[in-house]
Amino acid sequence: MSIMELEKESPLAFLYSNSVSTALLDTYTSISERREALGLSNPGTVDNIAREVQRDVFLTNYTFTGLRADLTKAFSMSPLFQVSHAFSMGSQGLPPYTFAALFGTSKACPGYAPIFMQGNVDNEGQLMTRFNYRWTPKLVTKTQIQIAPGPGQAMAQFDNEYTGNDFTASLKTVNPSAIDGGLTGIFVGSYLQSVTPSLALGLEAVWQRAALNQGPETAVSYCARYKGSDWIVSAQLQAQGAISTSYWRRLTDKVEAGVDLNLAFAGLSGGPMMGGPRKEGVTTVGAKYDFRMSTFRAQVDSTGKLSCLLEKRVAPPVQLTFAADVDHFKQQAKIGLSVSIEASNEELQEQQELGVGQPAPQIPF
């Protein structure tokens, strides 16, 4: 008996052997073939639509104040396993001591599922954990949990991300709960689709409810991203009327530059007594220079704030970082100095010195 005869005799055969399902399947196949013929690539995620400017060029995620010392010990490279001790003094927002452990695998690690685990605990008892699991090459679940001694400081975030050939869909939840007889928390859904080899369009929808005695709130924002040969421009329009645009360009092989503009409209609902609508915006210009053994970042914004950061590797296991921040309007200046030391066992050191062995695995998260 053939497979087609078995499908026809199946009790669920009517679900896929009727004219409606056949027409839908033919339509989907035709659209998929046309999309493949366009040669579209994955555009990334809505959260990282301006990653070249905000995460690569700008030093917002790298700057710090005070003195820091990071000691990292690597026990294995495949799978990746390491622990670190971070000490801080005179820094704003950083605890005096933090212990961290990291474990990650990739497809190059036989016998291990593709996962990523990281945990941080500081001297004040604040615990932060991350756990990512890749179900398939296209579907990954990301979990982040934070527990702090103070009331109202706990946080749980779950993110499911599907990466297609020419799109990315994501569903994120923050502090979801249904134990009080209703649904509370923050739910964010986003979708970014490539429509041409250079242009991608997307949207993000937010539904949130702080408590059952409060009504839910919704918001929708739209975004676009255009990629040229050596430049990228992106824009986001938020529900509150705020507009964010960014422009990134690679000037040379070692020099990148970026511009970011955030414009917010305030007082749109106010009458003459409120002074009418007004515009508030900040423009930031930054550049990144990659040298052989160091990286220099600098940026300046329209509020008169100038920042720079220099990362210098003085030896294979030792890196020095210097950060400076000057606010001309507020007449304030801040500096930071950090030293990072990476240690490993004798076997890993011999592999690094001889240049043999497997390279560090690229954790797929």
Side-chain angles (χ1 to χ4, degrees):
M1 185 177 294
S2 64
I3 298 178
M4 295 297 297
E5 293 177 352
L6 290 176
E7 291 181 351
K8 291 180 180 180
E9 295 179 359
S10 174
L12 300 178
F14 69 93
L15 294 177
Y16 50 82
S17 61
N18 57 78
S19 58
V20 176
S21 60
T22 302
L24 293 176
L25 180 60
D26 293 341
T27 303
Y28 175 79
T29 303
S30 177
I31 295 176
S32 300
E33 292 177 352
R34 293 181 181 181
R35 289 166 60 178
E36 292 179 0
L38 293 175
L40 304 179
S41 60
N42 184 272
T45 62
V46 174
D47 292 339
N48 297 328
I49 194 170
R51 60 183 180 273
E52 289 82 5
V53 175
Q54 299 177 356
R55 299 195 177 188
D56 295 342
V57 175
F58 288 174
L59 51 93
T60 306
N61 297 329
Y62 304 92
T63 188
F64 62 96
T65 58
L67 301 178
R68 288 181 52 188
D70 299 330
L71 307 178
T72 303
K73 171 71 173 180
F75 296 92
S76 174
M77 299 301 293
S78 182
L80 179 63
F81 175 59
Q82 64 183 31
V83 298
S84 64
H85 305 268
F87 303 88
S88 176
M89 178 184 300
S91 177
Q92 298 180 356
L94 293 177
Y97 173 74
T98 302
F99 173 78
L102 184 148
F103 178 84
T105 63
S106 64
K107 296 180 180 179
C109 304
Y112 292 91
I115 62 174
F116 174 81
M117 296 184 294
Q118 183 180 13
N120 303 337
V121 60
D122 58 27
N123 60 292
E124 298 178 354
Q126 181 174 344
L127 174 65
M128 296 182 61
T129 62
R130 293 175 58 192
F131 177 78
N132 302 347
Y133 184 82
R134 185 168 292 278
W135 304 91
T136 66
K138 295 184 177 182
L139 179 61
V140 60
T141 298
K142 304 178 182 180
T143 304
Q144 183 175 350
I145 299 176
Q146 175 180 330
I147 302 176
Q153 299 296 324
M155 187 270 294
Q157 176 178 312
F158 308 94
D159 187 1
N160 296 281
E161 181 179 298
Y162 184 87
T163 305
N165 296 329
D166 56 2
F167 72 94
T168 300
S170 174
L171 178 61
K172 182 188 301 182
T173 61
V174 180
N175 291 339
S177 177
I179 60 177
D180 295 331
L183 186 62
T184 59
I186 302 175
F187 300 83
V188 183
S190 62
Y191 182 85
L192 187 61
Q193 171 73 57
S194 294
V195 295
T196 68
S198 300
L199 178 63
L201 302 177
L203 58 86
E204 183 179 68
V206 180
W207 186 94
Q208 61 178 356
R209 190 175 187 180
L212 294 179
N213 56 1
Q214 301 179 9
E217 299 178 0
T218 59
V220 179
S221 60
Y222 305 91
C223 60
R225 173 184 171 95
Y226 190 89
K227 181 178 181 181
S229 58
D230 58 353
W231 58 274
I232 298 174
V233 61
S234 64
Q236 288 182 287
L237 175 61
Q238 300 179 3
Q240 297 82 4
I243 300 176
S244 301
T245 61
S246 65
Y247 175 78
W248 172 88
R249 187 178 183 89
R250 181 177 294 277
L251 303 178
T252 66
D253 294 339
K254 298 183 179 181
V255 181
E256 305 174 18
V259 181
D260 185 80
L261 170 63
N262 293 316
L263 183 61
F265 297 90
L268 293 178
S269 60
M273 298 295 293
M274 302 299 295
R278 61 185 186 276
K279 295 180 289 185
E280 300 176 353
V282 177
T283 302
T284 306
V285 181
K288 174 186 174 183
Y289 298 83
D290 288 323
F291 301 98
R292 189 175 66 89
M293 297 292 291
S294 61
T295 300
F296 177 75
R297 292 180 174 89
Q299 69 182 46
V300 59
D301 59 31
S302 56
T303 63
K305 188 176 181 180
L306 174 65
S307 305
C308 65
L309 184 137
L310 175 63
E311 297 174 323
K312 174 68 174 180
R313 187 165 292 278
V314 296
V318 181
Q319 176 176 295
L320 297 178
T321 304
F322 174 78
D325 189 337
V326 180
D327 194 327
H328 292 86
F329 291 168
K330 296 182 180 180
Q331 299 296 323
Q332 296 178 355
K334 303 175 184 178
I335 61 173
L337 181 62
S338 170
V339 56
S340 300
I341 301 177
E342 301 175 0
S344 58
N345 54 36
E346 296 181 356
E347 181 179 357
L348 294 179
Q349 290 179 356
E350 292 178 357
Q351 293 180 359
Q352 295 175 355
E353 293 176 358
L354 298 177
V356 298
Q358 297 181 353
Q362 298 294 328
I363 306 303
F365 301 111

